[in-house]
Amino acid sequence: MILRLSLEEGFFLIYAMNCIEIYDGSQKLSIEQCWNLFSNADPNFIKCYIIYHHFRSKGWIVKSGEKFAGNYILYKNGPQFFHATYIVIIDTENSASSDKKQWKQILPIIRVAETCKKEVIIARIITHGITSFEGVKTPMNLSSVSVHETLVQRWFISDK
């Protein structure tokens, strides 16, 4: 059987759940080999995995948020049971863009979320003892980062 997973989903099932194995030809890959392979395949893998792992560990079903202009969307029990509750935008504490530029990118996502009856979470990766989240060279370094969630809502005040 062929199962198609995102890199984050696959790594979570290897590392956190220990329920699948990944092979390169006939050779089974270790957790570290998978981490290196996935990190080299996608330059955003580490930051995406940190956020993916954070929300999966909290019990959310995490899926791609591209359809809603975000990084991820979060489901309570899965897409077959409910609509997604949140759109997640990944942010890093050493983000090079200015606050004004970031808000110009976030405001349209908030409007999309409101139209789709979802809320927006900005998930910021905070590093501890390393210079950036890219300092997470192995999955064993995941304890060097944490995630801060900010719920963003658009308020409309009527004069009625």
Side-chain angles (χ1 to χ4, degrees), residues 65 68-71 87-89 102-115 118-120:
F68 299 100
N71 296 101
I87 298 171
V88 177
I89 301 168
Q102 284 181 319
W103 281 109
K104 282 185 177 184
Q105 294 170 340
I106 292 171
L107 287 174
I109 298 170
I110 294 170
R111 288 189 176 147
V112 167
E114 186 176 305
T115 303
K118 296 174 184 9
E119 294 183 284
V120 175

Side-chain angles (χ1 to χ4, degrees), residues 41-56:
D42 180 1
N44 293 316
F45 170 74
I46 295 172
K47 76 176 180 180
C48 290
Y49 182 74
I50 290 167
I51 300 301
Y52 183 92
H53 185 101
H54 171 78
F55 286 110
R56 282 292 286 137

